Amino acid sequence: MDSHRIEETVARGMCIGCGACAVASGGTIEVTLGVERLYQANLSGASSLAIRSGSRVCPFSDEAPDEDTLGAPHGDPSMSHDPLLGTYTRTFAGRVSDDHYLRGSSSGGLTSWLLGRLIDSETVDAVINVGRPAVVGKELFEYGVTREAGRADRRKSHYYSSTMAGALTLIEDSDLRYAIVGIPCYIRAARALCLEKPGLASRLVLFVGLVCGHDKTQAFAESLAWQLGVAPGDLGDVDFRVKAPERPSSDYDFGARRIGEERWRLSPTRELIGANWGHGAFQPEACNFCDDVVAETADVSFGDAWLPGFTADSRGTNVVVSRNRLIDGLFEEGALSGQITVLPLTPEEAAQSQAGAFRHRREGLSLRLADDAELGLSVPRKRVAPDALAVAPRRAALLRQRRKMSALSHVAFREALESGDLRVYLRAMRREIRAYERLETSLLVRVLLRTKRFAVLVWHRITTSSSCSGGTS
């Protein structure tokens, strides 16, 4: 297999826009917002030396160290290892004990709680994460630096393409210590950047990962808000996860606010076209080639505890994978003081909480690698091998339909913007969602038919129906 470098990554539209290459190249590689509302690298003005430097930090380049090579930032031989979670010191579920604080968090509030404790304990001086911009502009969220991690505008989930380039460039000449927060590919890129630029390694001292099913372009927020009557040009703010106390934690609302208005428009997220994560709307192409769900190269990773015992609680619960004993100590202190509630969770349960994402990133990735290789397309070297038979035919059809829907969402929404008619996007997506749901139903029925319990239930229903109606079968 030929080497897949940053050149092939960019040429294939597989750049995620993290911005590490821009920092590594001293700015000669530019990262700008593209037509799909996703940050993309531009290699045209960069020297071959700068491109090679950028390639060594690109999370989708074979020239960059992978997750296994990077490992945990502060690992030690006594740490355990799991094939899905990577190395770890402990896994658990939990949430902040303050219910008022919880209402302003997407999940259990532990990410922002830990960032606050890192600053309060003087472990770091500041945090680099995504939040609302200091100056209102064209973008709703961006990477920035803060010494107040618990501020409302620096909390919650922001499913919105952002780049680290500006923030990381800003701290190069700083003498402060920073914790950086990001999705798996961003953390991997930041870790590789510290190897490429050792001076930056003394600045970035802790890495906080966010469990990721897949990233979203900025059009994701715009499409949902438009369905609530707020056109992209009028969009002032969004809230991706508004908790509904009477519903499970997985059944939250999406909120949008028009520029100049105080009123929030809300809708159950599940009722909006393209909001179902399984449909893959506005997923970047890069996410089709990622095999890291839980940010294996971070000191600690936070996600949602999508498990039956936790989703019933509308307050939300985090799943946590720690890889740093200093951070373990902060969690223990927080639990003893009553600031946080820690609930037992085995590594197997932690992985199960993200089961769908692992299926998509492992067996599904094997299929996508094989599909693209068969077409002669360049693909990165991953920790799973290309295999067209990695999944059963019916599931393969479902995965291919999901990929088709992702690609369609970008094109259809751009056409909707050009025409000023949201229905262009909605019609196209509804058609493909129906096709996806037919495949999904067929697959579900096939799985259920394999179980003895389902067969007994069907037989019972048939015989009961026949005896009640007097008919025959």
Side-chain angles (χ1 to χ4, degrees):
M1 184 186 298
D2 294 333
S3 180
H4 181 94
R5 309 160 300 168
I6 194 172
E7 292 94 326
E8 287 73 30
T9 297
V10 172
R12 284 217 50 199
M14 203 185 291
C15 172
I16 194 65
C18 66
C21 61
V23 182
S25 67
T28 58
I29 296 177
E30 295 184 345
V31 178
T32 56
L33 199 61
V35 293
E36 290 186 348
R37 310 290 289 143
L38 174 72
Y39 277 94
Q40 295 282 276
N42 182 351
L43 308 179
S44 60
S47 67
S48 59
L49 189 64
I51 291 173
R52 294 279 62 76
S53 180
S55 192
R56 288 192 293 271
V57 301
C58 172
F60 295 94
S61 165
D62 292 349
E63 295 183 323
D66 70 5
E67 290 83 357
D68 289 343
T69 303
L70 288 168
H74 300 89
D76 62 63
S78 66
M79 291 172 67
S80 301
H81 183 270
D82 182 90
L84 297 179
L85 306 179
T87 54
Y88 66 91
T89 55
R90 65 181 298 197
T91 58
F92 64 92
R95 65 176 69 92
V96 172
S97 301
D98 184 338
D99 280 355
H100 177 74
Y101 190 92
L102 268 178
R103 282 196 294 273
S105 303
S106 291
S107 184
L110 288 184
T111 310
S112 55
W113 177 86
L114 176 66
L115 296 175
R117 286 294 298 124
L118 290 173
I119 292 175
D120 292 344
S121 64
E122 299 184 349
T123 305
V124 302
D125 300 303
V127 169
I128 303 169
N129 65 350
V130 176
R132 289 172 175 81
V135 179
V136 177
K138 293 182 179 180
E139 296 182 48
L140 301 178
F141 305 98
E142 65 181 15
Y143 261 97
V145 179
T146 180
R147 294 197 180 198
E148 301 174 79
R151 280 170 29 192
D153 61 345
R154 309 303 301 181
R155 291 167 57 194
K156 305 198 80 172
S157 298
H158 307 306
Y159 307 121
Y160 191 89
S161 175
S162 304
T163 182
M164 301 184 292
L168 292 181
T169 300
L170 185 67
I171 71 165
E172 281 196 275
D173 296 325
S174 170
D175 58 357
L176 301 180
R177 299 157 301 157
Y178 299 87
I180 186 166
V181 184
I183 56 178
C185 56
Y186 278 50
I187 295 297
R188 174 184 167 182
R191 291 285 313 283
L193 188 58
C194 288
L195 297 177
E196 186 71 15
K197 303 190 76 169
L200 196 60
S202 63
R203 308 275 71 83
L204 295 178
V205 297
L206 283 173
F207 301 82
V208 177
L210 304 174
V211 171
C212 181
H214 61 258
D215 199 13
K216 296 291 190 183
T217 73
Q218 296 182 5
F220 177 64
E222 296 166 351
S223 73
L224 300 184
W226 204 354
Q227 292 176 61
L228 298 186
V230 183
D234 299 325
L235 184 58
D237 201 358
V238 298
D239 190 331
F240 292 98
R241 293 179 61 168
V242 181
K243 294 178 179 178
E246 72 283 2
R247 304 202 301 264
S249 61
S250 55
D251 187 7
Y252 44 81
D253 288 341
F254 171 81
R257 190 166 62 184
R258 191 189 300 272
I259 294 172
E261 289 186 355
E262 294 296 320
R263 180 175 70 93
W264 283 90
R265 304 171 187 224
L266 298 173
S267 168
T269 304
R270 56 182 160 76
E271 296 179 3
L272 300 173
I273 297 296
N276 184 322
W277 229 253
H279 296 163
F282 304 105
Q283 172 187 290
E285 176 69 357
C287 300
N288 283 316
F289 298 94
C290 179
D291 57 16
D292 183 3
V293 173
V294 296
E296 297 170 46
T297 65
D299 285 285
V300 61
S301 302
F302 296 92
D304 286 279
W306 297 135
L307 294 168
F310 297 116
T311 54
D313 192 326
S314 65
R315 294 176 297 172
T317 309
N318 284 119
V319 60
V320 182
V321 181
S322 179
R323 307 178 185 89
N324 186 308
R325 299 194 186 280
L326 181 150
I327 288 175
D328 289 347
L330 294 177
F331 286 135
E332 290 168 6
E333 290 173 10
L336 286 172
S337 68
Q339 293 181 47
I340 64 175
T341 301
V342 172
L343 307 164
L345 199 67
T346 67
E348 293 75 20
E349 290 169 327
Q352 182 60 32
S353 74
Q354 312 300 323
F358 280 118
R359 285 193 297 271
H360 189 70
R361 298 281 184 90
R362 299 300 169 94
E363 296 96 334
L365 175 55
S366 286
L367 175 70
R368 292 188 293 276
L369 290 171
D371 283 350
D372 285 20
E374 186 178 355
L375 295 172
L377 299 172
S378 177
V379 295
R381 183 176 59 252
K382 305 305 297 182
R383 294 175 295 169
V384 297
D387 184 359
L389 302 178
V391 296
R394 288 175 186 266
R395 178 151 182 80
L398 188 76
L399 291 169
R400 287 167 178 147
Q401 175 65 12
R402 181 182 295 163
R403 193 172 183 187
K404 178 182 177 182
M405 291 161 65
S406 293
L408 172 69
S409 65
H410 304 299
V411 176
F413 191 71
R414 193 159 62 244
E415 291 174 352
L417 287 173
E418 291 169 355
S419 65
D421 188 352
L422 176 63
R423 292 172 297 178
V424 173
Y425 164 75
L426 296 179
R427 280 195 297 264
M429 288 300 291
R430 284 191 178 111
R431 181 178 62 249
E432 297 304 328
I433 288 171
R434 285 195 293 269
Y436 181 88
E437 289 174 343
R438 284 194 296 270
L439 289 168
E440 196 172 36
T441 300
S442 173
L443 182 62
L444 178 61
V445 169
R446 188 176 180 85
V447 170
L448 290 174
L449 281 170
R450 291 174 184 164
T451 69
K452 180 178 178 181
R453 181 171 180 270
F454 182 73
V456 171
L457 287 172
V458 170
W459 176 250
H460 176 71
R461 182 175 295 176
I462 291 171
T463 55
T464 303
S465 175
S466 297
S467 62
C468 289
S469 63
T472 58
S473 58

